[in-house]
Amino acid sequence: MTSLRGFLESARAELPAPALVRWASIFFSLSVLTLLVSLFVAQLFLGLAGFACTLHVVRTRSLPEFPQVKLPLALFCLFSVISVFWAENPAVGGFVVRKLVLFSILLMAVNLVISARHLKFLYQGLFVESGVVGALAAFQFVMQYHAAERLHPGQIYIYMRGDRIHGLMGHWMNFGGQQMLVSLALFAFLLLDRHMTTGLSPVRGITVPRDAASESGRQFTRGKIWWWLILVMIATSVVLNFSRGIWLGSFIACIYLVGRWRARWLWVLPVLLMVGYWISPDLIRRRIDSVKHPSTDPSLAIRFEMWQVGLRMIQSHPLVGVGPNNIPETYTLYLPPGKSPIVGYREHLHDDYLQLAAERGLPCLAAWLWLIVAFAHQALRIRRKLMRDPSTVDSVWVAEAAFSCVLAFATEGIFEFNFGTSPVLMVFLFIVTTPFVVERASERLKGSSQEEKS
């Protein structure tokens, strides 16, 4: 009871003083902590946080801080709205305009996550939830496999490919994208958080007694093992998700993180990849081998058709596209004459780059690329800044997590419209904003220290 009371008092001390901002911070924290559980609940808490923030701004007439990506984000939103007016069917494009409100996550994360400790609590909450959801997904996989074995003997792979694990999300791509991003953040935490790599947070001028250091080391070892077990569970769910674009995005990001940790260990990754391939179950190997024969894989064949259709859309409407959410409305108009579309899911083009250019125009694609590059550039800038200060070097992993997630997100986006799925987009926006949170928290801490000295 005492420890719980102490934790609650400590958490309360971390919250902002103004009542509206305090409630907004609580609601936003709850939104982050429910991202992997329920999209409806996460967006509900996000709306409540936004409402409380708006009331505070109106009352105090104080403008919140905004991450240094304002111009590319503003241009992306502007071109997205403009494309609606030239859409083949403007009515269905309105949903995209409403969806732009999700970018308020950038604003709220910077202003409502008020300390590095608060941020670490949110991240660790996401890690634990992702591990639990990963365990649930593994159970789903076992149940689906037994059902396929009983109902579709000899066609287990085809059945498992078409009905994949989805955790608590409604679709396997939403689940897989979320798990990919959270697993990379946890991997960065384990490899690059100095506390996790040393077991003790070194403080200059303080001598730690040998007994205390030994006890702390034992606690650290136990904690680290648990985090690695959680990572293994999340990674297993990513593998069992059967999404090749997610596998590729995760591998590219892991190359970056291992290179930042110990560059000399990069040779281990291809070795692990080859060993993993040979010892993996037949279902996994068949999923990998399907890339060698795209004509026999319906999901690859339909992608080639979609990409050709997308290029024709861009040629016909280079400035404003065919309109947001108008891809299925106009798809057959851009097929070669006399050709029938391949049977399959055609609500989008399964490619971020072609999708945005085809439905919103090349200027909108350029603004989006600028935004993605800006996220990556700012993560590296903040990383360098944190590395120069001994008091903030422990938070470098946050910037590395953000940059690795940008790499994975952009890579997977070649094969999937992950930017268009709200569950994945919300996790992505939170993670890429967290370096700004650390930067602002460190500046606030330095300012209070200078005030105390003066």
Side-chain angles (χ1 to χ4, degrees), residues 1-75:
M1 181 64 70
T2 304
S3 59
L4 177 60
R5 185 181 297 110
F7 172 78
L8 293 176
E9 291 176 354
S10 176
R12 184 176 181 181
E14 291 279 327
L15 294 173
L20 285 172
V21 183
R22 186 186 309 124
W23 278 108
S25 180
I26 293 172
F27 288 139
F28 181 75
S29 299
L30 291 173
S31 176
V32 172
L33 294 175
T34 54
L35 282 173
L36 309 182
V37 178
S38 169
L39 178 63
F40 171 78
V41 174
Q43 292 186 344
L44 175 62
F45 282 127
L46 182 67
L48 291 173
F51 180 71
C53 279
T54 303
L55 286 180
H56 175 74
V57 170
V58 171
R59 283 187 179 182
T60 62
R61 298 183 181 179
S62 58
L63 294 178
E65 294 189 25
F66 202 91
Q68 298 175 28
V69 294
K70 295 187 289 294
L71 184 55
L73 178 58
L75 289 175

Coordinates of all heavy atoms in Angstrom, one line a residue, residues 1-75:
M1 N 0.8 -1.2 0.0 CA 0.0 0.0 0.0 C 0.9 1.2 0.0 O 0.6 2.2 -0.7 CB -0.9 0.0 1.2 CG -1.9 1.2 1.3 SD -3.0 1.2 -0.1 CE -4.1 -0.2 0.3
T2 N 1.9 1.2 0.8 CA 2.8 2.4 0.9 C 3.5 2.6 -0.4 O 3.6 3.8 -0.9 CB 3.9 2.1 2.0 OG1 3.2 1.9 3.2 CG2 4.8 3.4 2.1
S3 N 4.0 1.5 -1.1 CA 4.6 1.7 -2.4 C 3.7 2.2 -3.4 O 4.0 3.1 -4.3 CB 5.3 0.4 -2.8 OG 4.2 -0.6 -3.0
L4 N 2.4 1.7 -3.4 CA 1.4 2.2 -4.3 C 1.1 3.7 -4.1 O 1.0 4.5 -5.0 CB 0.1 1.4 -4.2 CG -1.1 1.8 -5.1 CD1 -0.7 1.7 -6.6 CD2 -2.3 0.9 -4.8
R5 N 1.0 4.1 -2.8 CA 0.7 5.5 -2.5 C 1.9 6.3 -2.9 O 1.7 7.4 -3.5 CB 0.4 5.6 -1.0 CG 0.0 7.0 -0.6 CD -0.2 7.2 0.9 NE -1.3 6.4 1.4 CZ -1.1 5.3 2.1 NH1 0.1 4.9 2.5 NH2 -2.1 4.6 2.5
G6 N 3.1 5.8 -2.7 CA 4.2 6.6 -3.1 C 4.3 6.8 -4.6 O 4.7 7.8 -5.1
F7 N 3.9 5.7 -5.3 CA 3.9 5.8 -6.8 C 2.9 6.8 -7.3 O 3.2 7.6 -8.2 CB 3.6 4.4 -7.4 CG 3.4 4.4 -8.9 CD1 4.5 4.5 -9.8 CD2 2.1 4.4 -9.4 CE1 4.3 4.5 -11.1 CE2 1.9 4.4 -10.8 CZ 3.0 4.5 -11.6
L8 N 1.7 6.8 -6.7 CA 0.6 7.7 -7.1 C 1.0 9.1 -6.8 O 0.8 10.1 -7.6 CB -0.7 7.3 -6.4 CG -1.3 6.0 -6.9 CD1 -2.6 5.7 -6.0 CD2 -1.6 6.0 -8.3
E9 N 1.6 9.3 -5.6 CA 2.1 10.7 -5.3 C 3.2 11.2 -6.2 O 3.2 12.3 -6.6 CB 2.6 10.7 -3.8 CG 1.4 10.5 -2.8 CD 2.0 10.5 -1.4 OE1 3.2 10.5 -1.2 OE2 1.1 10.4 -0.4
S10 N 4.1 10.3 -6.6 CA 5.1 10.6 -7.5 C 4.6 11.0 -8.9 O 5.0 11.9 -9.5 CB 6.1 9.5 -7.6 OG 7.1 9.8 -8.5
A11 N 3.6 10.1 -9.3 CA 3.0 10.4 -10.6 C 2.2 11.7 -10.6 O 2.3 12.5 -11.6 CB 2.0 9.3 -11.0
R12 N 1.6 12.0 -9.5 CA 0.8 13.3 -9.4 C 1.8 14.5 -9.5 O 1.5 15.5 -10.1 CB 0.0 13.3 -8.1 CG -0.9 14.5 -8.0 CD -1.7 14.5 -6.8 NE -2.6 15.6 -6.6 CZ -3.4 15.9 -5.7 NH1 -3.5 15.0 -4.7 NH2 -4.2 17.0 -5.6
A13 N 3.0 14.3 -8.8 CA 3.9 15.4 -8.8 C 4.5 15.7 -10.2 O 4.9 16.8 -10.5 CB 5.1 15.1 -7.9
E14 N 4.4 14.6 -11.1 CA 4.9 14.8 -12.4 C 4.0 15.6 -13.3 O 4.4 16.1 -14.4 CB 5.2 13.4 -13.1 CG 6.3 12.6 -12.5 CD 7.6 13.0 -13.0 OE1 7.7 13.4 -14.2 OE2 8.6 13.0 -12.3
L15 N 2.7 15.6 -12.9 CA 1.7 16.3 -13.8 C 1.8 17.8 -13.8 O 2.2 18.4 -12.8 CB 0.3 15.8 -13.3 CG 0.0 14.3 -13.5 CD1 -1.4 14.0 -12.9 CD2 0.0 13.9 -15.0
P16 N 1.3 18.4 -14.8 CA 1.3 19.9 -14.9 C 0.4 20.5 -13.8 O -0.5 19.9 -13.3 CB 0.8 20.2 -16.3 CG 0.9 19.0 -17.0 CD 0.8 17.9 -16.1
A17 N 0.7 21.7 -13.4 CA 0.0 22.4 -12.3 C -1.4 22.8 -12.7 O -2.4 22.6 -12.0 CB 0.8 23.6 -11.8
P18 N -1.6 23.5 -13.9 CA -3.0 23.9 -14.3 C -3.9 22.7 -14.4 O -3.6 21.7 -15.0 CB -2.7 24.6 -15.6 CG -1.3 25.0 -15.6 CD -0.6 23.9 -14.8
A19 N -5.1 22.9 -13.8 CA -6.0 21.7 -13.8 C -6.4 21.2 -15.2 O -6.4 20.0 -15.4 CB -7.3 22.2 -13.0
L20 N -6.7 22.1 -16.1 CA -7.1 21.6 -17.4 C -5.9 20.9 -18.1 O -6.1 19.8 -18.8 CB -7.5 22.8 -18.3 CG -8.9 23.3 -18.0 CD1 -9.2 24.6 -18.8 CD2 -10.0 22.3 -18.3
V21 N -4.7 21.4 -18.0 CA -3.5 20.8 -18.6 C -3.3 19.4 -17.9 O -2.9 18.4 -18.5 CB -2.3 21.7 -18.5 CG1 -1.1 21.0 -19.2 CG2 -2.6 23.0 -19.2
R22 N -3.5 19.4 -16.6 CA -3.3 18.1 -15.9 C -4.2 17.0 -16.4 O -3.8 15.9 -16.7 CB -3.5 18.3 -14.4 CG -3.2 17.1 -13.5 CD -3.5 17.3 -12.1 NE -3.0 18.5 -11.5 CZ -3.7 19.5 -11.0 NH1 -5.0 19.3 -10.9 NH2 -3.2 20.6 -10.5
W23 N -5.5 17.4 -16.5 CA -6.4 16.4 -17.1 C -6.1 16.0 -18.5 O -6.3 14.9 -18.9 CB -7.9 16.9 -16.9 CG -8.4 16.7 -15.6 CD1 -8.7 17.7 -14.6 CD2 -8.8 15.5 -15.0 NE1 -9.2 17.1 -13.5 CE2 -9.3 15.7 -13.7 CE3 -8.8 14.2 -15.5 CZ2 -9.7 14.7 -12.8 CZ3 -9.2 13.1 -14.6 CH2 -9.7 13.4 -13.3
A24 N -5.7 17.0 -19.3 CA -5.3 16.8 -20.7 C -4.2 15.8 -20.7 O -4.1 14.9 -21.6 CB -5.0 18.1 -21.4
S25 N -3.2 16.0 -19.8 CA -2.0 15.0 -19.8 C -2.5 13.6 -19.4 O -2.0 12.6 -20.0 CB -1.0 15.6 -18.8 OG 0.1 14.7 -18.7
I26 N -3.4 13.5 -18.4 CA -3.9 12.2 -18.0 C -4.6 11.5 -19.2 O -4.4 10.4 -19.5 CB -4.8 12.3 -16.8 CG1 -4.0 12.8 -15.6 CG2 -5.6 11.0 -16.6 CD1 -4.9 13.1 -14.4
F27 N -5.5 12.3 -19.9 CA -6.3 11.7 -21.0 C -5.3 11.3 -22.1 O -5.5 10.3 -22.8 CB -7.3 12.8 -21.5 CG -8.5 13.0 -20.6 CD1 -9.0 14.2 -20.4 CD2 -9.1 11.9 -20.0 CE1 -10.1 14.4 -19.5 CE2 -10.2 12.1 -19.1 CZ -10.7 13.3 -18.9
F28 N -4.3 12.1 -22.4 CA -3.4 11.8 -23.5 C -2.6 10.5 -23.1 O -2.4 9.7 -24.0 CB -2.5 12.9 -23.8 CG -1.5 12.6 -24.9 CD1 -1.9 12.6 -26.2 CD2 -0.2 12.3 -24.7 CE1 -1.1 12.3 -27.3 CE2 0.7 12.0 -25.7 CZ 0.3 12.0 -27.0
S29 N -2.2 10.4 -21.9 CA -1.5 9.2 -21.4 C -2.3 8.0 -21.6 O -1.9 6.9 -22.1 CB -1.0 9.4 -20.0 OG -0.2 10.5 -19.8
L30 N -3.6 8.1 -21.2 CA -4.5 7.0 -21.4 C -4.7 6.7 -22.9 O -4.9 5.5 -23.2 CB -5.9 7.3 -20.7 CG -5.8 7.4 -19.2 CD1 -7.2 7.9 -18.7 CD2 -5.5 6.0 -18.6
S31 N -4.7 7.7 -23.7 CA -4.8 7.4 -25.2 C -3.6 6.6 -25.7 O -3.8 5.6 -26.4 CB -4.9 8.8 -25.9 OG -4.9 8.5 -27.3
V32 N -2.4 7.0 -25.3 CA -1.2 6.2 -25.7 C -1.3 4.8 -25.2 O -1.0 3.9 -25.9 CB 0.0 7.0 -25.2 CG1 1.3 6.1 -25.4 CG2 0.2 8.3 -25.8
L33 N -1.7 4.7 -23.9 CA -1.7 3.3 -23.3 C -2.8 2.4 -23.8 O -2.9 1.2 -23.4 CB -1.8 3.5 -21.8 CG -0.6 4.1 -21.1 CD1 -0.8 4.4 -19.6 CD2 0.7 3.3 -21.4
T34 N -3.7 2.9 -24.6 CA -4.8 2.1 -25.1 C -4.7 1.9 -26.7 O -5.5 1.4 -27.3 CB -6.2 2.7 -24.8 OG1 -6.3 4.0 -25.2 CG2 -6.5 2.6 -23.3
L35 N -3.6 2.4 -27.2 CA -3.4 2.4 -28.7 C -3.4 0.9 -29.2 O -3.9 0.7 -30.3 CB -2.1 3.0 -29.1 CG -2.0 4.6 -29.1 CD1 -0.6 5.1 -29.3 CD2 -3.0 5.1 -30.2
L36 N -2.9 0.0 -28.4 CA -2.8 -1.4 -28.9 C -4.0 -2.2 -28.5 O -4.1 -3.4 -28.8 CB -1.5 -2.0 -28.3 CG -0.2 -1.3 -28.5 CD1 0.9 -2.1 -28.0 CD2 0.0 -1.0 -30.0
V37 N -4.9 -1.6 -27.7 CA -6.1 -2.3 -27.2 C -7.3 -2.0 -28.0 O -8.1 -2.9 -28.4 CB -6.2 -2.0 -25.7 CG1 -7.5 -2.7 -25.1 CG2 -5.0 -2.4 -24.9
S38 N -7.6 -0.7 -28.2 CA -8.9 -0.3 -28.8 C -8.7 1.0 -29.5 O -8.3 2.0 -28.8 CB -10.0 -0.2 -27.8 OG -11.1 0.4 -28.3
L39 N -8.9 1.1 -30.8 CA -8.8 2.3 -31.5 C -9.8 3.3 -31.1 O -9.6 4.5 -30.9 CB -8.9 2.0 -33.0 CG -8.9 3.3 -33.9 CD1 -7.5 4.0 -33.8 CD2 -9.2 2.9 -35.4
F40 N -11.0 2.8 -30.8 CA -12.1 3.7 -30.4 C -11.8 4.4 -29.0 O -11.9 5.6 -28.9 CB -13.4 2.9 -30.2 CG -14.5 3.7 -29.6 CD1 -15.3 4.6 -30.3 CD2 -14.9 3.5 -28.3 CE1 -16.3 5.4 -29.7 CE2 -15.9 4.2 -27.6 CZ -16.6 5.2 -28.4
V41 N -11.3 3.6 -28.1 CA -11.0 4.1 -26.8 C -9.8 5.1 -26.9 O -9.8 6.2 -26.3 CB -10.7 3.0 -25.8 CG1 -10.2 3.5 -24.4 CG2 -11.9 2.1 -25.6
A42 N -8.8 4.7 -27.6 CA -7.6 5.6 -27.8 C -8.0 6.9 -28.4 O -7.6 8.0 -28.0 CB -6.6 4.9 -28.6
Q43 N -8.9 6.9 -29.4 CA -9.3 8.2 -30.0 C -10.3 9.0 -29.1 O -10.3 10.2 -29.2 CB -10.0 7.9 -31.4 CG -9.0 7.4 -32.4 CD -9.6 7.2 -33.8 OE1 -10.8 7.2 -34.0 NE2 -8.7 7.0 -34.8
L44 N -11.0 8.3 -28.3 CA -11.9 8.9 -27.3 C -11.0 9.7 -26.4 O -11.3 10.9 -26.1 CB -12.8 7.9 -26.6 CG -13.6 8.5 -25.5 CD1 -14.6 9.5 -26.0 CD2 -14.4 7.3 -24.7
F45 N -10.0 9.1 -25.8 CA -9.1 9.8 -24.8 C -8.4 10.9 -25.5 O -8.1 12.0 -24.9 CB -8.2 8.8 -24.2 CG -8.8 8.0 -23.1 CD1 -8.7 6.6 -23.1 CD2 -9.5 8.6 -22.0 CE1 -9.3 5.8 -22.1 CE2 -10.0 7.8 -21.0 CZ -9.9 6.5 -21.0
L46 N -8.0 10.7 -26.8 CA -7.3 11.7 -27.5 C -8.2 12.9 -27.7 O -7.8 14.1 -27.6 CB -6.9 11.2 -28.9 CG -6.1 12.2 -29.8 CD1 -4.7 12.5 -29.1 CD2 -5.9 11.6 -31.2
G47 N -9.5 12.7 -28.0 CA -10.4 13.8 -28.1 C -10.6 14.6 -26.8 O -10.7 15.8 -26.8
L48 N -10.7 13.8 -25.7 CA -10.9 14.5 -24.4 C -9.6 15.3 -24.1 O -9.8 16.4 -23.6 CB -11.1 13.4 -23.3 CG -12.4 12.7 -23.4 CD1 -12.4 11.6 -22.4 CD2 -13.6 13.6 -23.1
A49 N -8.5 14.8 -24.4 CA -7.2 15.6 -24.2 C -7.2 16.8 -25.0 O -6.9 17.9 -24.6 CB -6.0 14.7 -24.5
G50 N -7.6 16.7 -26.3 CA -7.7 17.9 -27.2 C -8.7 18.9 -26.7 O -8.4 20.1 -26.8
F51 N -9.8 18.4 -26.2 CA -10.9 19.4 -25.7 C -10.3 20.1 -24.5 O -10.5 21.4 -24.4 CB -12.1 18.6 -25.3 CG -13.2 19.4 -24.8 CD1 -13.9 20.3 -25.6 CD2 -13.6 19.4 -23.4 CE1 -15.0 21.1 -25.1 CE2 -14.6 20.1 -22.9 CZ -15.3 21.0 -23.7
A52 N -9.7 19.4 -23.5 CA -9.1 20.1 -22.4 C -8.0 21.1 -22.7 O -7.9 22.2 -22.2 CB -8.6 19.1 -21.4
C53 N -7.2 20.7 -23.7 CA -6.1 21.6 -24.2 C -6.7 22.9 -24.8 O -6.2 24.0 -24.6 CB -5.3 20.9 -25.2 SG -4.0 19.8 -24.5
T54 N -7.8 22.7 -25.6 CA -8.4 23.8 -26.3 C -9.0 24.8 -25.2 O -8.8 26.0 -25.3 CB -9.5 23.4 -27.2 OG1 -8.9 22.5 -28.2 CG2 -10.1 24.5 -28.0
L55 N -9.6 24.3 -24.2 CA -10.2 25.1 -23.1 C -9.1 25.9 -22.4 O -9.2 27.1 -22.1 CB -11.0 24.3 -22.1 CG -12.3 23.7 -22.6 CD1 -12.9 22.9 -21.4 CD2 -13.3 24.9 -23.0
H56 N -8.0 25.2 -22.2 CA -6.8 25.9 -21.5 C -6.3 27.0 -22.4 O -6.0 28.1 -21.9 CB -5.7 24.9 -21.2 CG -4.5 25.5 -20.6 ND1 -4.4 25.9 -19.3 CD2 -3.3 25.7 -21.2 CE1 -3.2 26.4 -19.1 NE2 -2.5 26.3 -20.2
V57 N -6.1 26.8 -23.7 CA -5.6 27.8 -24.6 C -6.6 29.0 -24.7 O -6.1 30.2 -24.7 CB -5.4 27.2 -26.0 CG1 -5.0 28.3 -27.0 CG2 -4.2 26.2 -25.9
V58 N -7.9 28.7 -24.7 CA -8.8 29.8 -24.8 C -8.8 30.6 -23.5 O -8.9 31.9 -23.5 CB -10.2 29.2 -25.1 CG1 -11.3 30.3 -24.9 CG2 -10.3 28.6 -26.5
R59 N -8.7 30.0 -22.4 CA -8.7 30.7 -21.1 C -7.5 31.5 -20.9 O -7.5 32.7 -20.4 CB -8.9 29.7 -19.9 CG -10.3 29.2 -19.7 CD -10.3 28.3 -18.5 NE -11.7 27.8 -18.2 CZ -12.0 27.1 -17.1 NH1 -11.0 26.8 -16.2 NH2 -13.2 26.7 -16.9
T60 N -6.3 30.9 -21.2 CA -5.0 31.6 -20.9 C -4.4 32.3 -22.1 O -3.5 33.1 -21.9 CB -4.0 30.5 -20.4 OG1 -3.8 29.6 -21.5 CG2 -4.5 29.8 -19.2
R61 N -5.0 32.1 -23.2 CA -4.5 32.7 -24.5 C -3.0 32.4 -24.6 O -2.2 33.3 -25.1 CB -4.7 34.2 -24.5 CG -6.2 34.6 -24.4 CD -6.4 36.1 -24.5 NE -7.8 36.4 -24.5 CZ -8.3 37.6 -24.5 NH1 -7.5 38.7 -24.5 NH2 -9.6 37.8 -24.4
S62 N -2.6 31.3 -24.2 CA -1.2 30.9 -24.4 C -1.1 29.8 -25.5 O -1.8 28.9 -25.5 CB -0.6 30.3 -23.1 OG -1.4 29.1 -22.7
L63 N -0.1 30.0 -26.4 CA 0.0 29.1 -27.5 C 0.9 27.9 -27.2 O 2.0 28.1 -26.5 CB 0.6 29.9 -28.7 CG -0.3 31.0 -29.3 CD1 0.5 31.6 -30.5 CD2 -1.6 30.4 -29.8
P64 N 0.5 26.7 -27.5 CA 1.3 25.6 -27.2 C 2.5 25.5 -28.1 O 2.6 26.1 -29.2 CB 0.4 24.4 -27.4 CG -0.6 24.9 -28.4 CD -0.8 26.3 -28.1
E65 N 3.6 24.8 -27.7 CA 4.7 24.5 -28.5 C 4.4 23.5 -29.6 O 3.6 22.6 -29.4 CB 5.9 24.1 -27.7 CG 6.4 25.2 -26.8 CD 7.7 24.8 -26.1 OE1 8.5 23.9 -26.7 OE2 8.0 25.3 -25.0
F66 N 5.1 23.6 -30.7 CA 4.9 22.6 -31.8 C 6.2 22.1 -32.3 O 7.2 22.9 -32.4 CB 4.1 23.3 -33.0 CG 3.4 22.4 -33.9 CD1 2.1 22.1 -33.6 CD2 4.0 21.8 -34.9 CE1 1.4 21.2 -34.4 CE2 3.3 20.9 -35.8 CZ 2.0 20.6 -35.5
P67 N 6.3 20.8 -32.6 CA 7.5 20.3 -33.1 C 8.0 21.0 -34.4 O 7.2 21.6 -35.1 CB 7.2 18.8 -33.4 CG 6.0 18.5 -32.6 CD 5.2 19.8 -32.5
Q68 N 9.3 20.9 -34.7 CA 9.8 21.6 -35.8 C 9.6 20.9 -37.2 O 10.5 20.6 -37.9 CB 11.3 21.8 -35.6 CG 11.6 22.6 -34.3 CD 13.1 22.7 -34.1 OE1 14.0 22.7 -35.0 NE2 13.5 22.9 -32.8
V69 N 8.3 20.6 -37.4 CA 7.9 20.0 -38.7 C 6.7 20.8 -39.2 O 5.9 20.2 -40.0 CB 7.6 18.5 -38.6 CG1 8.9 17.8 -38.2 CG2 6.6 18.3 -37.5
K70 N 6.5 22.0 -38.8 CA 5.2 22.7 -39.0 C 5.0 22.9 -40.5 O 3.9 22.7 -41.0 CB 5.3 24.1 -38.3 CG 5.3 24.0 -36.8 CD 5.1 25.4 -36.2 CE 6.3 26.3 -36.4 NZ 7.5 25.7 -35.6
L71 N 6.0 23.4 -41.3 CA 5.8 23.7 -42.7 C 5.5 22.5 -43.5 O 4.4 22.6 -44.3 CB 7.0 24.5 -43.2 CG 6.9 25.0 -44.7 CD1 5.7 25.9 -44.8 CD2 8.2 25.7 -45.1
P72 N 6.2 21.4 -43.5 CA 5.8 20.3 -44.3 C 4.5 19.7 -43.9 O 3.7 19.3 -44.8 CB 7.0 19.3 -44.1 CG 7.6 19.7 -42.9 CD 7.5 21.2 -42.8
L73 N 4.2 19.7 -42.6 CA 2.9 19.2 -42.2 C 1.8 20.1 -42.7 O 0.7 19.6 -43.1 CB 2.8 19.1 -40.7 CG 1.5 18.6 -40.1 CD1 1.1 17.3 -40.6 CD2 1.6 18.6 -38.5
A74 N 1.9 21.4 -42.6 CA 0.9 22.3 -43.1 C 0.7 22.2 -44.6 O -0.5 22.2 -45.0 CB 1.3 23.8 -42.8
L75 N 1.7 22.0 -45.3 CA 1.6 21.8 -46.8 C 0.9 20.5 -47.1 O 0.1 20.4 -48.0 CB 3.0 21.9 -47.4 CG 3.6 23.2 -47.5 CD1 5.0 23.1 -48.1 CD2 2.8 24.2 -48.3

